Amino acid sequence: MFNHRAAQPLRAHADRSRTGRGLGSRRLTPQALEQRTYDLALTEIVNALALQPSDPRANSYLGDIHRWLGGSLAEAGRDPMPDYQAALGSYATSLAIDPRNHTACRCQVELHATIADHLASLGQDPEPAAASARRIGEHCAALDPSYFLLFDNL
């Protein structure tokens, strides 16, 4: 579920803060990710976004954290939807800032597919979430034709 490579660009981004670019002095630590201390990672990303709210990667990372929190809640038999909705909002913000953000696009497709599965497991209609996954997947495929592989998730 966790993409360890996703942390590397943020750390590099944070390291560039010394030159006045990047996400300020905040750093998403490997401990926050490796030990699944999502609350710490969430706090660090929120603080970074307070310094630079228009960073598309940081918004995507915020979506990833909410997605992981939601997944953990689902695994524990609790309601993941508030975190899933927060993740979708963060990915949408990332795409609004950078419409060609392939990562945010892919994550939205995967999360909508996850939501569809979750709704189906509750006996609810998964079609709206599946339709959103297809719609966003088509957008992703327009960005990069190799994204047709996303449709394997649907």
Side-chain angles (χ1 to χ4, degrees), residues 23-141:
L23 297 174
S25 62
R26 302 295 177 202
R27 187 173 176 149
L28 187 58
T29 63
Q31 293 83 6
L33 298 171
E34 295 294 332
Q35 297 172 11
R36 298 177 59 100
T37 54
Y38 299 121
D39 289 337
L40 176 59
L42 180 61
T43 299
E44 292 186 23
I45 288 291
V46 168
N47 290 338
L49 282 168
L51 297 172
Q52 199 168 14
S54 63
D55 188 298
R57 285 186 180 174
N59 279 285
S60 280
Y61 294 142
L62 180 59
D64 291 343
I65 291 167
H66 279 294
R67 181 177 167 190
W68 301 324
L69 284 167
S72 294
L73 290 170
E75 288 175 15
R78 297 175 52 204
D79 182 13
M81 292 308 294
D83 278 297
Y84 285 166
Q85 292 301 327
L88 290 173
S90 294
Y91 294 139
T93 298
S94 182
L95 282 170
I97 296 165
D98 178 6
R100 300 190 59 78
N101 183 333
H102 295 118
T103 301
C105 199
R106 174 185 50 79
C107 289
Q108 273 191 321
V109 171
E110 292 171 354
L111 183 51
H112 278 294
T114 298
I115 291 170
D117 289 342
H118 174 71
L119 293 173
S121 75
L122 298 175
Q124 298 177 16
D125 183 12
E127 184 51 36
S132 292
R134 284 189 293 274
R135 178 181 49 78
I136 295 164
E138 289 168 0
H139 171 76
C140 292

Side-chain angles (χ1 to χ4, degrees), residues 2-21:
F2 172 70
N3 180 354
H4 293 279
R5 290 183 8 198
Q8 291 172 345
L10 182 58
R11 284 195 298 270
H13 226 63
D15 289 343
R16 287 197 306 267
S17 67
R18 292 182 206 105
T19 64
R21 298 186 320 267

